[in-house]
Amino acid sequence: MRKVIYPGTFDPVTLGHIDIIQRACDLFDEVVVTVAINPDKTPLFTIEERIVFIKESVKCYPKVLVDSFDGLVVEHAKNVGAIGIIRGLRALSDFEYEFQMALMNRKLAKNINTVFLMPHEKYTYLNSSIIRNLASLNSDVSDFVPPIVQEALKKKFIK
Ligand code: ADP
């Protein structure tokens, strides 16, 4: 049973994240999408909302589980019995930070490897903060997020 975790803020989940989840499912037996509880950030959506959005968007993937964590990623990976951490790489700009994190995590837990996956090109410029900005300006985000997120954004920014 080769299990991995895919940690992130997912505020909110986008089709770029879903693309990475699909690719991880092609490679591993179980993918645990782990929503980070980060007290330093003020998210647009609560942890419960973010979990519901992901669960609804991945319900057709039986290999995917969704949970949350508020400590070290590698500790969480160990606790759920994962052999690796999935991260998405969109552009060179992601690389330096991700490389540093991956090496630090390997220092903390040498048996847990970070696996980088690239999304389809059409999602390489997509991130959750652009989506929050677009939605706050009442722009259509239906090409970039699952339907449940689109609805929630509409409600959130209704004038
Ligand atoms: P974080 O705040 O940890 O970067 P995110 O929720 O923004 O959390 O992203 C989680 C992971 O998904 C990160 O590895 C990030 O690089 C990746 N990711 C985010 N958006 C995309 C996208 N459009 N395509 C591919 N990977 C993505």
Side-chain angles (χ1 to χ4, degrees):
M1 175 65 137
R2 298 175 77 79
K3 190 192 276 197
V4 284
I5 65 168
Y6 177 34
T9 313
F10 304 106
D11 186 34
V13 66
T14 69
L15 296 184
H17 295 125
I18 303 291
D19 178 294
I20 297 294
I21 293 169
Q22 280 170 353
R23 289 172 202 278
C25 285
D26 290 341
L27 294 169
F28 297 98
D29 301 312
E30 198 167 291
V31 177
V32 184
V33 182
T34 293
V35 184
I37 303 170
N38 186 344
D40 299 338
K41 283 190 186 172
T42 314
L44 180 63
F45 293 106
T46 65
I47 194 93
E48 291 80 15
E49 288 173 313
R50 284 179 274 154
I51 288 175
V52 168
F53 299 158
I54 301 170
K55 280 192 173 158
E56 174 65 24
S57 314
V58 300
K59 63 179 185 210
C60 51
Y61 305 117
K63 290 179 171 184
V64 182
L65 298 174
V66 186
D67 71 2
S68 62
F69 83 113
D70 67 354
L72 276 176
V73 170
V74 286
E75 286 306 318
H76 188 65
K78 279 190 214 162
N79 288 340
V80 302
I83 56 162
I85 298 168
I86 298 287
R87 293 291 287 174
L89 270 189
R90 285 157 290 190
L92 213 52
S93 50
D94 281 339
F95 181 77
E96 196 160 350
Y97 170 76
E98 293 292 344
F99 186 68
Q100 206 174 25
M101 287 277 292
L103 290 182
M104 181 51 84
N105 282 333
R106 195 163 69 188
K107 179 86 186 148
L108 296 172
K110 67 176 177 356
N111 294 328
I112 299 198
N113 278 296
T114 301
V115 178
F116 292 108
L117 295 173
M118 275 83 69
H120 189 284
E121 309 84 82
K122 66 185 174 188
Y123 300 131
T124 50
Y125 55 90
L126 188 56
N127 65 44
S128 299
S129 108
I130 291 181
I131 293 299
R132 293 194 300 271
N133 282 337
L134 286 174
S136 73
L137 300 167
N138 294 314
S139 175
D140 177 18
V141 290
S142 55
D143 283 347
F144 311 119
V145 295
I148 188 172
V149 173
Q150 194 193 344
E151 282 309 309
L153 284 166
K154 251 190 219 158
K155 276 194 199 133
K156 184 76 82 184
F157 292 110
I158 222 146
K159 289 265 153 45

